[in-house]
Amino acid sequence: MLALSRRKALICSPLLISLFALSACISPGQPPAPPLPALAKAAPFTSVDANFVQQLNEMDLTHIALANLAKTHSARNDIALLSPTIVKDLTANHDTLTKLATDHTLTLPTKPSAQNQKIIDRLQHLYGAAFDRGYSRYFMSSTTKMKSAITAEITTSKNTDLVKLATDTNTKITTYQSQIK
C-alpha cells in the first residue's frame, strides 16, 4: 500500500507543479507600472545666456593658465598655495560649463582669446614680486568685472543650471579675491 501511495505522489507531483505554474500565469498579479513623467528640460539659452557662457569660459581658461604659472612664478606663498585650488575649481567649473553649452548646441573655444593670451605671455616672463603684482592686479580687475556679469546672470536667467553655476562661481571668486588681496 505504501508503494502505491508513493507512485501516485510521483505521478501527481508534476501535474500539481504544472497547475500551480498555470495558475500564476492566469492571475493578473500586480498592475503595470505607470509611465514615467517626462524629464523637465532646462530653459533654452537666451542670447544673454550664451554671451555670459562665453565670458565665463574665457575667464576660466585665462585664470587656469595664470594659476598654473603662479605655482612656479610667485614669490608670495599664499598665491602659490592657492593656485592649485584655483586650477582644480575652475577646471571643474569649466567642465560643467562645457557640458551645459554642449547640451544647448553652443561650442566654446578651448584656448584663451588673443588678448588674454598676450596677458598670459607677458606674465609668463615675470617672476617673484613682479609676477605677484601683475597677477594680483589682473586677477582683481578681471574678477571684479566678471562679478557684475555673474550678478546680472543670476538675476535675469531662466536657466536654473546656469544660475547655479553662476552662483557657485561667484562664491569661489569672492573667496579667491579675499585671499589674493
Side-chain angles (χ1 to χ4, degrees):
M1 183 82 172
L2 191 56
L4 188 57
S5 313
R6 283 188 189 161
R7 186 169 188 191
K8 281 184 183 178
L10 289 175
I11 292 173
C12 291
S13 63
L15 181 61
L16 288 174
I17 292 173
S18 299
L19 287 174
F20 283 128
L22 286 174
S23 69
C25 292
I26 295 171
S27 67
Q30 295 183 357
L36 294 175
L39 293 176
K41 292 193 176 198
F45 280 173
T46 62
S47 60
V48 174
D49 289 339
N51 185 38
F52 171 74
V53 166
Q54 291 174 345
Q55 285 178 319
L56 188 57
N57 180 62
E58 185 65 32
M59 184 204 72
D60 285 345
L61 293 173
T62 304
H63 284 283
I64 289 168
L66 290 174
N68 278 323
L69 285 177
K71 292 177 189 176
T72 57
H73 289 59
S74 180
R76 284 179 46 187
N77 199 26
D78 59 334
I79 292 177
L81 291 174
L82 180 62
S83 61
T85 304
I86 293 174
V87 169
K88 183 181 104 201
D89 290 349
L90 292 184
T91 300
N93 198 46
H94 182 259
D95 293 343
T96 304
L97 186 64
T98 302
K99 184 182 178 328
L100 276 174
T102 303
D103 290 347
H104 292 278
T105 64
L106 184 65
T107 304
L108 297 175
T110 57
K111 296 182 185 219
S113 67
Q115 179 184 1
N116 285 338
Q117 188 59 50
K118 286 180 184 177
I119 294 166
I120 294 166
D121 292 341
R122 183 174 53 82
L123 288 175
Q124 188 172 12
H125 298 294
L126 301 176
Y127 291 89
F131 175 85
D132 293 338
R133 277 190 305 278
Y135 178 74
S136 297
R137 281 186 199 136
Y138 177 77
F139 188 90
M140 296 306 276
S141 68
S142 68
T143 54
T144 301
K145 288 177 192 171
M146 193 64 203
K147 283 181 91 168
S148 64
I150 289 172
T151 303
E153 184 67 21
I154 291 170
T155 57
T156 61
S157 181
K158 303 282 187 248
N159 188 302
T160 56
D161 294 330
L162 200 52
V163 169
K164 181 181 178 337
L165 180 66
T167 304
D168 293 345
T169 303
N170 194 32
T171 303
K172 290 173 188 173
I173 288 174
T174 303
T175 302
Y176 303 151
Q177 283 180 330
S178 67
Q179 293 177 4
I180 289 180
K181 283 184 182 180

PDB file of all heavy atoms in Angstrom, residues 56-69:
ATOM      1  N   LEU A  56      32.315  83.611 -19.267  1.00  0.00           N
ATOM      2  CA  LEU A  56      32.762  82.753 -18.168  1.00  0.00           C
ATOM      3  C   LEU A  56      33.798  81.747 -18.655  1.00  0.00           C
ATOM      4  O   LEU A  56      34.783  81.480 -17.958  1.00  0.00           O
ATOM      5  CB  LEU A  56      31.566  82.038 -17.532  1.00  0.00           C
ATOM      6  CG  LEU A  56      31.839  81.248 -16.256  1.00  0.00           C
ATOM      7  CD1 LEU A  56      32.445  82.134 -15.171  1.00  0.00           C
ATOM      8  CD2 LEU A  56      30.549  80.605 -15.749  1.00  0.00           C
ATOM      9  N   ASN A  57      33.610  81.221 -19.847  1.00  0.00           N
ATOM     10  CA  ASN A  57      34.583  80.302 -20.425  1.00  0.00           C
ATOM     11  C   ASN A  57      35.931  80.996 -20.596  1.00  0.00           C
ATOM     12  O   ASN A  57      36.975  80.436 -20.244  1.00  0.00           O
ATOM     13  CB  ASN A  57      34.072  79.784 -21.772  1.00  0.00           C
ATOM     14  CG  ASN A  57      35.036  78.826 -22.426  1.00  0.00           C
ATOM     15  OD1 ASN A  57      35.337  77.768 -21.890  1.00  0.00           O
ATOM     16  ND2 ASN A  57      35.520  79.200 -23.601  1.00  0.00           N
ATOM     17  N   GLU A  58      35.905  82.212 -21.103  1.00  0.00           N
ATOM     18  CA  GLU A  58      37.145  82.967 -21.303  1.00  0.00           C
ATOM     19  C   GLU A  58      37.847  83.227 -19.975  1.00  0.00           C
ATOM     20  O   GLU A  58      39.060  83.079 -19.857  1.00  0.00           O
ATOM     21  CB  GLU A  58      36.823  84.289 -22.019  1.00  0.00           C
ATOM     22  CG  GLU A  58      38.028  85.097 -22.389  1.00  0.00           C
ATOM     23  CD  GLU A  58      38.922  84.415 -23.413  1.00  0.00           C
ATOM     24  OE1 GLU A  58      38.412  83.679 -24.267  1.00  0.00           O
ATOM     25  OE2 GLU A  58      40.153  84.625 -23.339  1.00  0.00           O
ATOM     26  N   MET A  59      37.063  83.611 -18.964  1.00  0.00           N
ATOM     27  CA  MET A  59      37.656  83.853 -17.649  1.00  0.00           C
ATOM     28  C   MET A  59      38.273  82.566 -17.096  1.00  0.00           C
ATOM     29  O   MET A  59      39.396  82.574 -16.593  1.00  0.00           O
ATOM     30  CB  MET A  59      36.615  84.386 -16.672  1.00  0.00           C
ATOM     31  CG  MET A  59      37.220  84.744 -15.310  1.00  0.00           C
ATOM     32  SD  MET A  59      36.075  84.716 -13.926  1.00  0.00           S
ATOM     33  CE  MET A  59      35.777  82.986 -13.690  1.00  0.00           C
ATOM     34  N   ASP A  60      37.541  81.455 -17.190  1.00  0.00           N
ATOM     35  CA  ASP A  60      38.053  80.184 -16.673  1.00  0.00           C
ATOM     36  C   ASP A  60      39.363  79.803 -17.345  1.00  0.00           C
ATOM     37  O   ASP A  60      40.339  79.468 -16.668  1.00  0.00           O
ATOM     38  CB  ASP A  60      37.030  79.056 -16.873  1.00  0.00           C
ATOM     39  CG  ASP A  60      35.871  79.113 -15.900  1.00  0.00           C
ATOM     40  OD1 ASP A  60      35.967  79.830 -14.888  1.00  0.00           O
ATOM     41  OD2 ASP A  60      34.857  78.425 -16.160  1.00  0.00           O
ATOM     42  N   LEU A  61      39.397  79.865 -18.669  1.00  0.00           N
ATOM     43  CA  LEU A  61      40.601  79.469 -19.397  1.00  0.00           C
ATOM     44  C   LEU A  61      41.796  80.337 -19.024  1.00  0.00           C
ATOM     45  O   LEU A  61      42.906  79.834 -18.798  1.00  0.00           O
ATOM     46  CB  LEU A  61      40.349  79.532 -20.910  1.00  0.00           C
ATOM     47  CG  LEU A  61      39.362  78.524 -21.483  1.00  0.00           C
ATOM     48  CD1 LEU A  61      39.097  78.826 -22.958  1.00  0.00           C
ATOM     49  CD2 LEU A  61      39.887  77.108 -21.317  1.00  0.00           C
ATOM     50  N   THR A  62      41.570  81.646 -18.941  1.00  0.00           N
ATOM     51  CA  THR A  62      42.656  82.569 -18.619  1.00  0.00           C
ATOM     52  C   THR A  62      43.155  82.366 -17.189  1.00  0.00           C
ATOM     53  O   THR A  62      44.359  82.280 -16.949  1.00  0.00           O
ATOM     54  CB  THR A  62      42.200  84.029 -18.823  1.00  0.00           C
ATOM     55  OG1 THR A  62      41.727  84.175 -20.165  1.00  0.00           O
ATOM     56  CG2 THR A  62      43.337  85.000 -18.564  1.00  0.00           C
ATOM     57  N   HIS A  63      42.241  82.244 -16.246  1.00  0.00           N
ATOM     58  CA  HIS A  63      42.649  82.102 -14.846  1.00  0.00           C
ATOM     59  C   HIS A  63      43.263  80.732 -14.556  1.00  0.00           C
ATOM     60  O   HIS A  63      44.121  80.628 -13.673  1.00  0.00           O
ATOM     61  CB  HIS A  63      41.479  82.406 -13.912  1.00  0.00           C
ATOM     62  CG  HIS A  63      41.219  83.876 -13.801  1.00  0.00           C
ATOM     63  ND1 HIS A  63      41.994  84.720 -13.043  1.00  0.00           N
ATOM     64  CD2 HIS A  63      40.289  84.663 -14.386  1.00  0.00           C
ATOM     65  CE1 HIS A  63      41.554  85.949 -13.152  1.00  0.00           C
ATOM     66  NE2 HIS A  63      40.515  85.935 -13.967  1.00  0.00           N
ATOM     67  N   ILE A  64      42.871  79.722 -15.278  1.00  0.00           N
ATOM     68  CA  ILE A  64      43.520  78.409 -15.122  1.00  0.00           C
ATOM     69  C   ILE A  64      44.969  78.512 -15.579  1.00  0.00           C
ATOM     70  O   ILE A  64      45.880  78.043 -14.888  1.00  0.00           O
ATOM     71  CB  ILE A  64      42.757  77.316 -15.906  1.00  0.00           C
ATOM     72  CG1 ILE A  64      41.419  77.004 -15.228  1.00  0.00           C
ATOM     73  CG2 ILE A  64      43.599  76.045 -16.033  1.00  0.00           C
ATOM     74  CD1 ILE A  64      40.479  76.155 -16.072  1.00  0.00           C
ATOM     75  N   ALA A  65      45.186  79.147 -16.728  1.00  0.00           N
ATOM     76  CA  ALA A  65      46.557  79.296 -17.240  1.00  0.00           C
ATOM     77  C   ALA A  65      47.410  80.141 -16.295  1.00  0.00           C
ATOM     78  O   ALA A  65      48.569  79.792 -16.007  1.00  0.00           O
ATOM     79  CB  ALA A  65      46.525  79.923 -18.633  1.00  0.00           C
ATOM     80  N   LEU A  66      46.847  81.232 -15.785  1.00  0.00           N
ATOM     81  CA  LEU A  66      47.608  82.097 -14.873  1.00  0.00           C
ATOM     82  C   LEU A  66      47.873  81.417 -13.528  1.00  0.00           C
ATOM     83  O   LEU A  66      48.948  81.588 -12.944  1.00  0.00           O
ATOM     84  CB  LEU A  66      46.880  83.427 -14.673  1.00  0.00           C
ATOM     85  CG  LEU A  66      46.860  84.346 -15.891  1.00  0.00           C
ATOM     86  CD1 LEU A  66      45.990  85.570 -15.623  1.00  0.00           C
ATOM     87  CD2 LEU A  66      48.263  84.752 -16.296  1.00  0.00           C
ATOM     88  N   ALA A  67      46.920  80.659 -13.034  1.00  0.00           N
ATOM     89  CA  ALA A  67      47.130  79.949 -11.766  1.00  0.00           C
ATOM     90  C   ALA A  67      48.199  78.871 -11.932  1.00  0.00           C
ATOM     91  O   ALA A  67      48.970  78.621 -10.999  1.00  0.00           O
ATOM     92  CB  ALA A  67      45.822  79.338 -11.275  1.00  0.00           C
ATOM     93  N   ASN A  68      48.265  78.257 -13.096  1.00  0.00           N
ATOM     94  CA  ASN A  68      49.343  77.296 -13.348  1.00  0.00           C
ATOM     95  C   ASN A  68      50.703  77.980 -13.327  1.00  0.00           C
ATOM     96  O   ASN A  68      51.679  77.427 -12.826  1.00  0.00           O
ATOM     97  CB  ASN A  68      49.123  76.568 -14.684  1.00  0.00           C
ATOM     98  CG  ASN A  68      48.155  75.422 -14.557  1.00  0.00           C
ATOM     99  OD1 ASN A  68      48.140  74.714 -13.561  1.00  0.00           O
ATOM    100  ND2 ASN A  68      47.331  75.228 -15.567  1.00  0.00           N
ATOM    101  N   LEU A  69      50.771  79.205 -13.849  1.00  0.00           N
ATOM    102  CA  LEU A  69      52.023  79.977 -13.792  1.00  0.00           C
ATOM    103  C   LEU A  69      52.358  80.354 -12.345  1.00  0.00           C
ATOM    104  O   LEU A  69      53.530  80.331 -11.954  1.00  0.00           O
ATOM    105  CB  LEU A  69      51.900  81.258 -14.622  1.00  0.00           C
ATOM    106  CG  LEU A  69      51.956  81.140 -16.127  1.00  0.00           C
ATOM    107  CD1 LEU A  69      51.734  82.499 -16.767  1.00  0.00           C
ATOM    108  CD2 LEU A  69      53.282  80.559 -16.564  1.00  0.00           C
TER     109      LEU A  69
END
